[in-house]
């Protein structure tokens, strides 16, 4: 009995190799052109407001300032100094300051970090107009450091006056 070994059949690609390489280069150029090479970071500062959560669950009257640091690249953390100003008739008055606040990205490759624990005790029922300001630095995964700043906008009325220090 003779043993026959089948001859290998060469499988040729349906698309020529040059076309495949060309498509890969085209895809790379397309992705590079559509992504922004510049790093952009900004702080989004919300209007200071009375925290209903703290009042309901903790029995505390506080004015809360929420800030989000957003970049178009992944962040490690952001460090800021935030201030709440009272703006009634006359010059703005600094009523609360939060120096050197640091928030680390919740998970790897996060593009945003949130500052949610910036609170100042207040007296409920007394109205005041507040706005928030923040500045600092966003530190990216690659080790880069970018200045960030933001403001909440025009003064916002709150029925809880911060106890000035």
């Amino acid at each position: 009995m003779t043993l026959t070994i089948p001859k290998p059949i060469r499988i040729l690609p349906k698309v020529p190799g040059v076309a495949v390489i060309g498509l890969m280069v085209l895809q790379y150029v397309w992705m590079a052109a559509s992504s922004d090479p510049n790093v952009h970071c900004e702080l989004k500062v919300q209007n200071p407001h009375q925290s209903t959560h703290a009042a309901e669950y903790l029995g505390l009257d506080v004015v809360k300032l929420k800030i989000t640091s957003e970049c178009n690249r992944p962040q490690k953390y952001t460090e800021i100094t935030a201030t709440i100003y009272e703006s009634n008739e006359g010059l703005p008055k600094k009523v609360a300051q939060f120096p050197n606040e640091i928030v680390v990205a919740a998970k790897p490759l996060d593009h945003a970090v949130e500052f949610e624990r910036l609170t100042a005790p207040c007296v409920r029922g007394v109205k005041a107009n507040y706005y928030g300001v923040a500045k600092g630095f966003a530190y990216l995964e690659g080790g880069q450091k970018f200045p960030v700043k933001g403001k909440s906008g025009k003064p916002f009325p709150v029925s809880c006056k911060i106890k000035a220090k």
Side-chain angles (χ1 to χ4, degrees):
M1 179 161 172
T2 59
L3 180 67
T4 57
I5 299 175
K7 198 176 203 185
I9 301 172
R10 286 183 29 168
I11 300 174
L12 297 175
K14 302 263 183 197
V15 179
V18 173
V20 171
I21 293 172
L23 288 172
M24 289 172 54
V25 168
L26 182 63
Q27 180 182 9
Y28 175 76
V29 169
W30 176 269
M31 294 301 288
S34 65
S35 64
D36 188 359
N38 299 323
V39 176
H40 301 288
C41 295
E42 67 176 318
L43 288 182
K44 293 183 178 180
V45 182
Q46 292 184 5
N47 287 322
H49 59 280
Q50 186 174 3
S51 174
T52 54
H53 182 269
E56 186 175 330
Y57 294 102
L58 304 173
L60 300 174
D61 292 323
V62 295
V63 171
K64 180 178 181 177
L65 181 62
K66 185 174 178 184
I67 300 171
T68 304
S69 170
E70 291 185 354
C71 295
N72 64 344
R73 299 283 190 269
Q75 293 189 56
K76 277 188 180 178
Y77 65 94
T78 297
E79 179 178 6
I80 63 167
T81 294
T83 307
I84 297 176
Y85 289 94
E86 182 179 345
S87 177
N88 289 326
E89 299 168 19
L91 294 173
K93 177 182 172 186
K94 185 189 304 184
V95 291
Q97 186 161 20
F98 311 95
N100 304 320
E101 293 288 329
I102 297 173
V103 173
V104 177
K107 55 188 171 193
L109 303 180
D110 265 355
H111 289 241
V113 297
E114 293 185 351
F115 295 82
E116 297 185 297
R117 298 181 183 205
L118 307 176
T119 60
C122 63
V123 178
R124 185 190 313 194
V126 181
K127 284 196 172 189
N129 297 314
Y130 300 117
Y131 66 93
V133 176
K135 65 179 180 177
F137 294 94
Y139 295 85
L140 305 184
E141 282 292 330
Q144 299 152 306
K145 173 181 170 182
F146 287 91
V148 289
K149 64 181 179 177
K151 183 178 176 182
S152 64
K154 65 181 185 178
F156 186 74
V158 179
S159 293
C160 201
K161 186 169 177 68
I162 294 175
K163 303 169 187 174
K165 295 179 181 178

